[in-house]
Amino acid sequence: MKLMRVLVVGMLLLLFAGQATPVSADGAYHFGFKKSVNGQPPSIDEEGFKSLLKEHSAVFTGDQSQKELYLTFDNGYENGYTGRILDVLKEKQVPAIFFVTGHYIRTEPELLKRMAAEGHLIGNHSWSHPDMSQISTAQIQKELDQVKAGVAAVTGQKEMRYLRAPRGIFNGRSLATSHGMGYTNVFWSVAYRDWEPKKQKGWEYAYKNVMAQLHPGAVILLHSVSSDNTEALGRIIDAARSQGYQFKSLDEMKGRTP
């Protein structure tokens, strides 16, 4: 038992360091990447899964030659900040995508309606947030279909084209299954540890972490449960624009990597 705890802690430390780590014997990975520094391209060249993402047309970044940014939020549950995030996006005229779970659909129909009404995309984050590499193909299909149907029932949005795997865990089968259902798996190239509501460090911490990683074609991952993200969002948008960046919808992504 003690050895198992040591192994688990060691694995988590690797994940939090941003390194992609196989998490099971069947070729599953937890997404990781080499962060951008000084505007240089980030990298997944050494992570072991680049060819897998390419084979199944997954997205890590947009066109790295264009000063375009793609703002994405993971909405597993509501922590009281999404309304304010939407206020900022509306004020700044910035499009985003919100990846939602079944819990979010059940508990926050009005916010879903507002996302759709204000022109944002709503993506699939699975119904129950499972490890997609460890459930059957039929279960994957059910998880994704439930979210698509749930969002359609609330907002009228019939199409759902983008998926973010829960916890960034995937394997070839989960990518193949979801891509076969018409989904583009969307990973990210800008992120930091922002998902723990009780460990927030202030808006400057969020601002500095995001701005330090900005690069052309960046797909920015933010968690909507973060008060830091909420307070920093407007400043991030203004600062990025002052550097010549434009915020675009995933539907406008012309080029991509890998």
Side-chain angles (χ1 to χ4, degrees):
M1 181 64 71
K2 188 175 293 185
L3 177 60
M4 179 62 70
R5 284 199 296 268
V6 170
L7 290 172
V8 169
V9 169
M11 183 181 74
L12 290 174
L13 288 174
L14 284 172
L15 297 185
F16 292 150
Q19 300 300 313
T21 306
V23 295
S24 71
D26 64 353
Y29 289 93
H30 191 298
F31 185 79
F33 62 100
K34 182 179 179 181
K35 291 183 178 181
S36 169
V37 178
N38 297 323
Q40 295 302 305
S43 171
I44 53 172
D45 290 342
E46 300 176 4
E47 313 305 336
F49 55 66
K50 185 175 181 177
S51 61
L52 199 59
L53 267 58
K54 185 174 183 179
E55 178 183 355
H56 299 293
S57 301
V59 171
F60 160 53
T61 75
D63 187 339
Q64 294 184 3
S65 70
Q66 301 296 317
K67 296 199 78 171
E68 299 169 351
L69 302 174
Y70 301 88
L71 195 55
T72 75
F73 292 89
D74 281 5
N75 288 62
Y77 64 97
E78 181 55 37
N79 198 33
Y81 301 120
T82 304
R84 290 165 60 190
I85 289 170
L86 287 167
D87 290 343
V88 173
L89 296 176
K90 185 175 183 179
E91 176 191 347
K92 304 293 185 182
Q93 293 295 290
V94 169
I97 183 168
F98 296 86
F99 290 97
V100 302
T101 62
H103 179 272
Y104 204 90
I105 294 167
R106 292 194 307 270
T107 60
E108 304 299 333
E110 295 308 312
L111 284 171
L112 284 179
K113 291 175 185 176
R114 183 176 172 189
M115 292 169 190
E118 295 181 1
H120 301 295
L121 297 173
I122 301 175
N124 204 319
H125 200 35
S126 79
W127 188 259
S128 62
H129 209 260
D131 176 345
M132 300 279 273
S133 72
Q134 298 300 304
I135 62 176
S136 70
T137 297
Q139 287 175 303
I140 292 173
Q141 293 168 336
K142 182 178 179 180
E143 286 276 337
L144 302 186
D145 283 344
Q146 281 184 289
V147 171
K148 181 178 179 180
V151 170
V154 172
T155 69
Q157 173 186 294
K158 302 300 183 185
E159 298 298 320
M160 186 169 279
R161 297 181 294 276
Y162 303 105
L163 166 67
R164 175 157 287 153
R167 290 170 282 163
I169 301 175
F170 65 95
N171 61 7
R173 183 174 57 85
S174 69
L175 292 180
T177 300
S178 54
H179 187 50
M181 296 173 68
Y183 286 96
T184 296
N185 282 268
V186 181
F187 292 96
W188 56 88
S189 60
V190 172
Y192 76 103
R193 189 169 178 170
D194 65 342
W195 60 87
E196 297 171 290
K198 294 183 179 180
K199 295 184 179 181
Q200 299 296 289
K201 300 181 179 181
W203 72 264
E204 290 187 31
Y205 181 77
Y207 176 87
K208 290 176 180 177
N209 269 279
V210 173
M211 295 304 297
Q213 297 179 61
L214 282 194
H215 64 88
V219 176
I220 303 170
L221 164 60
L222 297 175
H223 286 82
S224 62
V225 297
S226 165
S227 59
D228 291 354
N229 288 340
T230 305
E231 295 299 326
L233 182 58
R235 296 175 173 94
I236 291 169
I237 292 169
D238 290 344
R241 282 175 165 166
S242 74
Q243 295 181 19
Y245 285 100
Q246 293 182 307
F247 288 86
K248 294 198 170 185
S249 166
L250 285 179
D251 279 350
E252 299 176 282
M253 185 181 281
K254 300 284 194 296
R256 63 176 63 176
T257 55

